[in-house]
Amino acid sequence: MMQIRGWLAVVRKELTIYFGTPIFYITGFFFLLLAGYFFYTNVVYYSIISFQAAQQASNPQIAAQLNPLQMVFRPLFAILAIILLFLVPFITMRLLAEEKRSGTAELLFTYPLTDWAVIAGKFGAALLLYLILLAFTVSYPLVLGQIIRLDWGALGAGYLGLVLLGAACLSLGLFASSLTENQIVAGVVAFALLLLFWIIGWVQELGAGDLGRIFQSLSLMEHFENFTKGVIDTRDLVYCLSFIYFFLFLTKRQLESRRWRA
Amino acid sequence: MQTMIEAQDLTKYYGPQLAVSRLDFEVAAGEIVGFLGPNGAGKTTTLKILAGFLAPSAGTARINGYDCVTDSLAVRRSLGYVPENVAIYPDLTVTQFLRFAARAKGVSAKAETGEVDRVVGACGLEEVRGKLAAALSKGFRQRLGLAQALINQPPLLIMDEPTIGLDPSQIVEIRQLIKNLEGDHTVMLSSHILPEVSQLCHRVIIINRGQIVASDTPENLSRQLGHGSRVLLTVAGPDEQVRAALAAVSGVNRALGQGEGKYLVEADSGVELRPQLARVVVERGWQLLELKSQEFTLEEVFINLVTEEES
Ligand SMILES: Nc1ncnc2c1ncn2[C@@H]1O[C@H](COP(=O)(O)OP(=O)(O)O)[C@@H](O)[C@H]1O
Ligand SMILES: [Mg+2]
């Protein structure tokens, strides 16, 4: 019970700092600008194609492709996932690095908070921030849904995928921030690791056999894609949740080792 | 008397570098203890271990009966820590920061506002409550550091160099704040400035190069080594008789034999003993080889202790 209060204290503190500094507004601005731009162009493209398809005698193959999920939202989700790659390091880089650099870590870790309360608090705040940004993009399908019929189930799966993918990236970013006192280094490390988990699956396409399949199954992109197809597979869920737990756990180990080393 | 801090064999290595070595000391509940030593002596390291921020490489520390490593949460509930160079969150206002501290320390939602108001009042922070911590002067920062430590009334306060970097009037204010804590809290504070410690503390632990070199009340340290006068004699004569004869001289508090014909004679300050001591020795027919006065200020005690170690 006390630790829940402690966890909430950390969440609130982190949110106060996020909202009190420009990070949130700047990252939020670019995130929504890019998301809005791609949504708009996708919709325009979709309407042109469907217009043409309606004029020509309907070609069944094209018609099958012509639904808003395929034409608008799957590409949008893919773009959002790539934007995440750039966004996450900005959100997570200061979380632990700045505490160490400014010396406030000495306060934080001499308060009666468990390491988990601190980690979960920082992770929770970053996740909440991301969910707020994501919530803005929900307005796109809501608006489009007024005009045409949408498959809400498949959209929901896509958003679940985005939430899990975001949480996974944030947990990795938090870990990167625990490695150093330097925010910039933390950001760069986070970006590099995220990129690695992104492209690791490409090995498969080069034909690397069994090893390639293992790499592919580690790839964030690979698991995320299933969600955007509107498919919720337990393997993908388990992968994302394990990924999150793994990096939060590494973060905890990193904090513990600090206690013994320096 | 209940023990608040108990350190046994406390040792800390940073990689290969030894920072503190086998410290043994106790602090009783209610004491104000000064932890004195030059820069690099190991004060910060020791205090960080006590506060549960660092784990010792060897030895144990107990706070309020709880082990600093195995019972870290209970230890951290028992203490308030003011780090060196008061680290504070620059992007939070004074009130936001203190509210965070209250929640983190488990103050109930109902008591939170009252507790924040209490420490704001106790530390004279009323006029800066709404300001961002980044905008505070060094003096107010230090008070804020103290205020967050006072939240939830921990029995023990640990302060690392609480007056470092302050101007003289701010130093007086902070000292007064610390004085006010007497009675309600046990306080352990570190400093590399001697007068500060001797004014504030019931007891002084002097540390140098990671080892304790002295531990006593400031009065005792002064009496033994400071404001009293000491005379060092070297006499060729029968040991016990010489010591007794010196002790019998009026005005002498103590005469200590130090071997090899050396004697240390202590008296209250302002008493000039040398003529009488010389006369006694000569009258008995012993040879007076050396006679010199040793006047120590507390600073010199400190410097002596520290340089003895180094030579
Ligand atoms: N993080 C660290 N890594 C390596 N050595 C350190 C570290 N912190 C302190 N030291 C060394 O340990 C010794 C004690 O330092 P410290 O406890 O900060 O002394 P003080 O607070 O008395 O000035 C010094 O020699 C210092 O150089
Ligand atoms: Mg220090």
Side-chain angles (χ1 to χ4, degrees):
Chain A
M1 190 54 221
M2 258 206 61
Q3 286 310 321
I4 291 182
R5 196 164 156 69
W7 168 69
L8 281 175
V10 178
V11 171
R12 286 176 73 165
K13 186 211 92 179
E14 294 302 332
L15 286 177
T16 312
I17 293 178
Y18 274 130
F19 292 130
T21 52
I23 305 176
F24 171 68
Y25 304 101
I26 294 173
T27 52
F29 174 76
F30 283 108
F31 179 77
L32 294 176
L33 187 74
L34 289 171
Y37 170 76
F38 284 110
F39 172 68
Y40 176 74
T41 51
N42 287 350
V43 169
V44 168
Y45 182 63
Y46 169 65
S47 54
I48 292 171
I49 296 283
S50 5
F51 183 68
Q52 287 174 350
Q55 282 196 326
Q56 294 160 9
S58 59
N59 178 335
Q61 241 178 352
I62 293 181
Q65 291 289 314
L66 274 188
N67 71 68
L69 190 72
Q70 287 294 334
M71 294 288 297
V72 177
F73 287 103
R74 269 191 74 185
L76 179 67
F77 288 152
I79 290 283
L80 286 182
I82 289 168
I83 296 175
L84 257 190
L85 211 60
F86 295 89
L87 180 80
V88 161
F90 284 104
I91 296 182
T92 56
M93 63 185 192
R94 49 154 283 286
L95 282 176
L96 284 161
E98 182 61 12
E99 299 260 9
K100 280 189 279 180
R101 193 201 56 78
S102 70
T104 46
E106 285 177 39
L107 289 176
L108 194 59
F109 293 108
T110 53
Y111 287 159
L113 299 167
T114 58
D115 286 353
W116 275 125
V118 172
I119 292 170
K122 287 180 176 276
F123 177 67
L127 186 60
L128 202 61
L129 202 72
Y130 167 63
L131 291 180
I132 292 171
L133 293 182
L134 205 56
F136 279 104
T137 70
V138 175
S139 61
Y140 307 157
L142 288 182
V143 168
L144 203 61
Q146 305 290 313
I147 308 163
I148 50 177
R149 251 200 45 197
L150 294 176
D151 179 352
W152 292 104
L155 274 176
Y159 269 98
L160 178 65
L162 274 178
V163 169
L164 286 172
L165 179 73
C169 294
L170 291 169
S171 70
L172 186 150
L174 181 62
F175 169 65
S177 185
S178 76
L179 295 174
T180 165
E181 294 191 355
N182 186 320
Q183 289 191 50
I184 307 298
V185 173
V188 171
V189 169
F191 181 72
L193 284 176
L194 285 175
L195 202 60
L196 186 74
F197 274 103
W198 212 252
I199 62 178
I200 200 170
W202 293 358
V203 177
Q204 166 75 5
E205 279 150 39
L206 301 177
D210 282 349
L211 200 63
R213 262 191 296 282
I214 292 174
F215 280 141
Q216 193 179 29
S217 68
L218 285 177
S219 159
L220 277 169
M221 201 60 217
E222 191 65 26
H223 292 275
F224 174 62
E225 256 187 27
N226 288 338
F227 287 106
T228 65
K229 289 176 197 155
V231 179
I232 300 178
D233 187 332
T234 31
R235 270 173 305 180
D236 301 323
L237 282 176
V238 168
Y239 169 82
C240 285
L241 295 175
S242 317
F243 190 98
I244 295 166
Y245 178 76
F246 178 69
F247 278 102
L248 294 184
F249 178 75
L250 282 189
T251 310
K252 178 166 154 44
R253 293 303 294 268
Q254 183 61 25
L255 292 183
E256 279 167 359
S257 81
R258 179 227 70 224
R259 205 159 264 150
W260 295 95
R261 273 186 293 118
Chain B
M1 176 90 79
Q2 195 204 335
T3 339
M4 183 57 73
I5 305 178
E6 202 183 338
Q8 275 176 359
D9 253 4
L10 212 57
T11 302
K12 178 73 188 176
Y13 284 91
Y14 290 108
Q17 195 195 347
L18 183 61
V20 297
S21 167
R22 315 201 63 164
L23 300 189
D24 275 299
F25 60 87
E26 285 192 4
V27 174
E31 264 191 306
I32 298 187
V33 171
F35 201 43
L36 187 68
N39 286 326
K43 304 180 295 290
T44 300
T45 303
T46 310
L47 297 185
K48 279 182 181 172
I49 293 173
L50 295 178
F53 183 72
L54 283 182
S57 308
T60 55
R62 297 175 81 78
I63 304 275
N64 210 5
Y66 303 108
D67 187 283
C68 287
V69 176
T70 58
D71 236 341
S72 174
L73 275 187
V75 164
R76 289 184 268 159
R77 261 181 223 119
S78 312
L79 63 84
Y81 179 55
V82 187
E84 197 170 15
N85 305 318
V86 204
I88 42 181
Y89 293 102
D91 303 316
L92 297 182
T93 66
V94 169
T95 311
Q96 283 170 340
F97 181 21
L98 293 174
R99 280 188 183 280
F100 166 62
R103 291 183 199 123
K105 291 183 177 200
V107 174
S108 74
K110 260 183 279 168
E112 187 182 303
T113 305
E115 186 61 8
V116 169
D117 289 345
R118 183 184 73 81
V119 298
V120 162
C123 297
L125 288 165
E126 292 91 346
E127 52 182 297
V128 295
R129 285 191 77 135
K131 274 199 183 179
L132 283 183
L136 297 183
S137 69
K138 190 87 169 63
F140 275 120
R141 274 167 183 249
Q142 192 67 50
R143 292 190 203 193
L144 181 54
L146 191 56
Q148 63 79 25
L150 285 175
I151 292 243
N152 212 16
Q153 305 246 41
L156 173 66
L157 290 171
I158 295 181
M159 306 182 202
D160 199 357
E161 311 245 12
T163 59
I164 200 165
L166 300 184
D167 67 36
S169 70
Q170 292 170 332
I171 290 179
V172 172
E173 289 166 12
I174 291 291
R175 279 191 198 150
Q176 193 50 51
L177 285 179
I178 297 173
K179 264 273 178 240
N180 294 344
L181 302 173
E182 196 170 352
D184 300 330
H185 302 270
T186 310
V187 180
M188 179 151 187
L189 62 91
S190 79
S191 174
H192 64 280
I193 307 162
L194 193 115
E196 169 161 302
V197 171
S198 55
Q199 282 171 29
L200 278 171
C201 302
H202 304 148
R203 192 152 64 87
V204 181
I205 297 173
I206 300 181
I207 178 176
N208 187 41
R209 300 176 132 214
Q211 289 182 311
I212 292 179
V213 290
S215 163
D216 214 329
T217 61
E219 293 77 22
N220 275 350
L221 284 175
S222 306
R223 189 166 340 105
Q224 278 173 21
L225 310 159
H227 304 308
S229 66
R230 306 159 94 201
V231 178
L232 189 72
L233 301 96
T234 310
V235 178
D239 230 4
E240 205 30 53
Q241 287 179 32
V242 174
R243 205 194 58 76
L246 293 175
V249 172
S250 75
V252 170
N253 290 337
R254 272 205 300 179
L256 301 167
Q258 296 190 314
E260 297 175 15
K262 285 187 164 47
Y263 302 89
L264 189 67
V265 178
E266 293 179 0
D268 293 331
S269 59
V271 183
E272 181 51 271
L273 288 171
R274 277 172 297 177
Q276 282 156 290
L277 291 172
R279 189 162 347 108
V280 167
V281 171
V282 174
E283 274 171 4
R284 296 291 193 92
W286 301 319
Q287 277 182 305
L288 182 60
L289 302 175
E290 193 189 6
L291 174 71
K292 70 176 181 193
S293 173
Q294 289 191 319
E295 282 272 353
F296 284 131
T297 63
L298 212 45
E299 276 85 348
E300 283 170 316
V301 174
F302 177 45
I303 290 163
N304 278 356
L305 283 167
V306 164
T307 45
E308 260 168 39
E309 280 284 307
E310 270 154 28
S311 58

